[in-house]
Amino acid sequence: MRRLALPALALALLLTGCGSGAATVQNSLFAMDTVMSFTLNGEGDPQALQDTLGELGEIIHGLEDRMSATDEDSEIYALNHAQGQPVSLSPETAELLEQALELCRVTGGALDITAYPAVEAWGFPTGEYRVPGPEELDQLVGQIDYTRLEVDEADGTAVLPAGMEADLGAVAKGYAGDLLAEQLAEQGIDSALLNLGESTILAVGEKPEGTPWRIAVQDPAGEGYLGVLELRDRALGTSGGYQRYFESGGQTYWHIMDPATAAPARSGLAGVTVVSSSGLLCDGLSTALFVMGLEEGVQFWRDHQSLEFEVLFVTDEGELYLTPGLEDSFSLTEEYRDRGVTVLS
Ligand code: AMP
Ligand code: MG
């Protein structure tokens, strides 16, 4: 019933005619534990654009119903509670599990979709936060191992050993964004901004006036915006410790786990933004690079040029490191003008 949490927003619909049949429609909804907002531009019948907005919402809620780790009716919940027995999956869940596992392999397990027992032990799904002791952490490390999750995409089944749990929180929004963008492409809508919570954004085409979409990058250490990325036909994913955290005993603990320690990843990075043509890749890699840290993350970028992604790293000290493909599209906001930016090579 979480989807009813923001009824006013869910109904908020803005319709603006811009002459010559051009229209913009917007909608916000609460899904996947975050507020999402979609802006579509098009020519012709504004009602058709509105109908498309409705379809996007249905796709998102359908994915959430199948892939939530907390919803007892979801496929992921069934997988996590099947005590080692195979479970049936919808094609989308099987596809995302398979693609996420591929990213787990590529990132050497920095992304590990079986990190959920640790996420739970720290209290993130319920908000009942706690700091597990060293013995519990040792035990949790033994429960995290994506190589033990078996997915048969052709059969539409998956099996996970008893005691292990999977969660698609690190990749689902990006995957969802890709499905929405496909839906828009099928309907010939070539200008849209799909904001799936602040961390995952798809800039479809460009703005109606022919300029790129401008996407603000939050300062992980404050309320302000470090800079702006100007993007056309690109997805963006951001991971950071500032997005979900709690404080205890003077320490801050966040929701991104280092699978090697079952504790929040402390890699020296405060935030990582990835830009590419795939929402799934952006979402998965931003989480993984956050776990890796700057040095390992930069090396990963150098070693995986074929994945065609760009990165903005922000360290705990507030230093910015940018891959060269973003040099022309990123600009610092006025407030941060004096901040040093290192372009990587
Ligand atoms: P993101 O916000 O995309 O970086 O993903 C973080 C979410 O993914 C967390 O809320 C957890 O549900 C899950 N998670 C945490 N650490 C990891 C990890 N190392 N690999 C995969 N999923 C993770
Ligand atoms: Mg992610």
Side-chain angles (χ1 to χ4, degrees):
M1 286 292 103
R2 271 177 303 152
R3 72 185 50 169
L4 297 180
L6 285 177
L9 266 177
L11 293 174
L13 188 73
L14 181 79
L15 196 64
T16 47
C18 315
S20 70
T24 298
V25 295
Q26 293 183 325
N27 192 20
S28 298
L29 56 100
F30 189 80
M32 298 185 176
D33 243 2
T34 190
V35 179
M36 303 188 173
S37 62
F38 307 140
T39 302
L40 312 184
N41 301 306
E43 302 284 330
D45 181 7
Q47 186 58 47
L49 277 182
Q50 277 192 63
D51 293 346
T52 303
L53 266 183
E55 287 162 22
L56 299 189
E58 280 168 28
I59 292 174
I60 288 289
H61 287 310
L63 290 175
E64 181 179 34
D65 287 347
R66 277 167 274 165
M67 298 182 186
S68 157
T70 50
D71 181 345
E72 295 186 11
D73 297 323
S74 84
E75 294 171 17
I76 295 298
Y77 191 93
L79 174 67
N80 291 346
H81 296 85
Q83 302 296 331
Q85 296 302 308
V87 297
S88 300
L89 303 173
S90 61
E92 287 87 359
T93 305
E95 179 183 56
L96 178 52
L97 276 174
E98 189 48 58
Q99 292 185 3
L101 280 178
E102 181 57 27
L103 281 177
C104 294
R105 289 188 276 271
V106 168
T107 61
L111 183 77
D112 191 320
I113 56 170
T114 65
Y116 198 59
V119 178
E120 276 184 312
W122 289 86
F124 284 99
T126 55
E128 288 164 25
Y129 302 117
R130 55 187 281 277
V131 179
E135 279 176 26
E136 188 178 349
L137 291 179
D138 272 354
Q139 196 196 330
L140 287 165
V141 168
Q143 286 169 266
I144 303 173
D145 182 359
Y146 69 90
T147 65
R148 302 187 66 198
L149 169 59
E150 288 171 32
V151 181
D152 189 328
E153 212 185 323
D155 270 8
T157 57
V159 59
L160 191 60
M164 292 181 65
E165 289 185 276
D167 137 55
L168 292 168
V171 288
K173 294 186 190 100
Y175 176 77
D178 290 337
L179 288 193
L180 300 190
E182 269 173 38
Q183 176 79 4
L184 295 183
E186 273 173 27
Q187 305 202 2
I189 295 169
D190 60 4
S191 171
L193 191 67
L194 306 175
N195 186 339
L196 294 97
E198 279 184 24
S199 57
T200 305
I201 297 173
L202 275 86
V204 176
E206 56 187 11
K207 288 198 204 174
E209 56 268 32
T211 55
W213 292 104
R214 289 170 56 81
I215 295 162
V217 180
Q218 200 181 322
D219 176 6
E223 294 296 304
Y225 292 106
L226 277 178
V228 172
L229 276 164
E230 295 195 315
L231 301 176
R232 285 185 171 91
D233 264 325
R234 279 286 170 280
L236 169 152
T238 297
S239 289
Y242 63 95
Q243 291 172 335
R244 200 164 289 197
Y245 62 89
F246 69 96
E247 283 163 350
S248 174
Q251 275 268 27
T252 304
Y253 300 98
W254 43 78
H255 66 307
I256 304 173
M257 300 290 146
D258 182 343
T261 61
R266 288 189 198 286
S267 64
L269 289 177
V272 180
T273 295
V274 175
V275 174
S276 83
S277 59
S278 154
L280 173 61
L281 188 74
C282 289
D283 198 353
L285 285 189
S286 64
T287 308
L289 293 172
F290 183 87
V291 173
M292 288 182 201
L294 181 66
E295 204 176 320
E296 203 185 316
V298 170
Q299 196 54 48
F300 180 89
W301 169 73
R302 290 197 184 111
D303 292 344
H304 294 83
Q305 298 283 314
S306 62
L307 292 178
E308 298 187 1
F309 67 100
E310 304 294 336
V311 194
L312 168 66
F313 296 96
V314 186
T315 67
D316 285 340
E317 283 74 41
E319 300 153 332
L320 302 178
Y321 293 83
L322 200 65
T323 56
L326 291 183
E327 207 180 344
D328 291 341
S329 41
F330 180 72
S331 52
L332 290 165
T333 41
E334 193 57 29
E335 233 183 306
Y336 291 87
R337 221 176 25 156
D338 299 332
R339 192 64 70 93
V341 182
T342 304
V343 179
L344 297 159
S345 54

